[in-house]
Amino acid sequence: MVNREVLATISAALEEQADAERGAGAQAYMKSSIPSLGVRVPEVRRLTKAAAAAHPFESPEQLRATVLELWRDAKVREERYAAIDLTGVKMAAKDLAMLPVYEEIIRTGAWWDFVDGVSDRICALLQAHRPAMTEILLGWSRDEDLWIRRASITAQLKAKAHTDRRLLRNVIEANLADREFFIRKAIGWALREFGKTDPEWVRTFVAEHDERLSPLSRREAIRNLPSDDGA
């Protein structure tokens, strides 16, 4: 079931691009117990895409199995990045069966780079399966796992005009009292991004929740908003 050719190609390519000095710095920066080879993220993405193109997946089931094996057996951080990059294969884009894969990545990865790495995948699922995904994300917004909650907040970062305002409001309001940095940062980030599409909505939301928004969330939310006079 697993696409062994893809896994072997990715492993060999990562080893070839390894940079021990950069890897040590990357591991320290990410505060990670998982070693890093020092391969830059764009290069991981490029070589992963090339491996998938050279050895196409036969089915969505094979894709999921391959992603999960690469994720679970990863010995270096770049292998986990590659697992996430494999989920960018076209057949996965609107496949709701990918959601448990993304949830496992979020819960077991438990760090911002992994969680944010699948945010656009979750956004795509929301656009394709809005009723089901809306209920799921509302549940996630109240989950005990802070990374699942963060994922519910960042799920619409790239939705732009297709943003579900009610959903965005609900997942943020569910987390306004949370003192965790990564939640407060996510709230500000989500509002800042949507402010590029609908600044008035964001300005109104910030005003309505001024006393509950953390200084960090508020600062991030209004950072790029146009002034009231249009300047």
Side-chain angles (χ1 to χ4, degrees):
M1 174 67 79
V2 172
N3 190 329
R4 298 291 171 192
E5 291 84 0
V6 162
L7 294 183
T9 301
I10 289 173
S11 178
L14 287 175
E15 288 291 343
E16 184 178 341
Q17 297 294 325
D19 182 321
E21 183 177 352
R22 188 185 297 136
Q27 184 176 1
Y29 173 73
M30 296 306 302
K31 302 178 181 178
S32 173
S33 61
I34 305 175
S36 174
L37 290 174
V39 184
R40 299 184 188 278
V41 170
E43 183 62 15
V44 176
R45 189 171 297 121
R46 184 197 67 77
L47 64 85
T48 302
K49 185 176 181 179
H55 307 284
F57 291 97
E58 297 176 356
S59 66
E61 292 77 15
Q62 185 184 51
L63 171 62
R64 292 195 296 273
T66 305
V67 169
L68 287 174
E69 179 158 320
L70 182 56
W71 176 266
R72 293 167 179 171
D73 294 348
K75 301 297 188 297
V76 294
R77 203 167 193 87
E78 287 85 351
E79 289 178 326
R80 288 197 151 184
Y81 292 156
I84 291 173
D85 289 336
L86 283 178
T87 67
V89 172
K90 188 176 181 179
M91 69 171 64
K94 299 179 180 181
D95 184 2
L96 194 56
M98 289 296 297
L99 185 62
V101 176
Y102 302 143
E103 183 170 356
E104 178 170 333
I105 287 172
I106 294 166
R107 290 189 186 277
T108 61
W111 201 240
W112 63 266
D113 55 338
F114 297 140
V115 176
D116 298 347
V118 297
S119 66
D120 61 333
R121 315 293 200 245
I122 295 170
C123 185
L125 290 183
L126 175 62
Q127 304 311 313
H129 308 278
R130 193 171 289 275
M133 285 299 300
T134 296
E135 289 304 310
I136 287 166
L137 291 173
L138 287 172
W140 281 18
S141 72
R142 294 172 172 80
D143 197 275
E144 292 182 359
D145 188 324
L146 79 91
W147 299 109
I148 289 289
R149 296 200 307 279
R150 179 180 171 96
S152 75
I153 297 166
T154 60
Q156 298 194 82
L157 287 175
K158 296 185 178 181
K160 298 183 180 179
H162 298 290
T163 297
D164 181 333
R165 292 163 172 79
R166 178 178 295 181
L167 176 61
L168 182 61
R169 172 183 292 272
N170 286 339
V171 297
I172 290 176
E173 288 179 342
N175 287 279
L176 285 175
D178 199 307
R179 301 179 63 84
E180 168 60 53
F181 169 82
F182 289 105
I183 294 297
R184 292 183 168 188
K185 187 75 171 180
I187 290 172
W189 186 15
L191 290 171
R192 185 177 77 243
E193 285 301 303
F194 189 48
K196 298 174 183 178
T197 298
D198 191 341
E200 286 307 314
W201 188 93
V202 172
R203 186 178 286 111
T204 298
F205 182 93
V206 169
E208 289 176 351
H209 298 80
D210 187 58
E211 294 184 1
R212 298 179 64 197
L213 275 170
S214 71
L216 171 60
S217 297
R218 187 181 191 281
R219 185 169 60 251
E220 288 292 313
I222 68 174
R223 186 199 300 175
N224 298 322
L225 286 181
S227 60
D228 291 332
D229 60 7

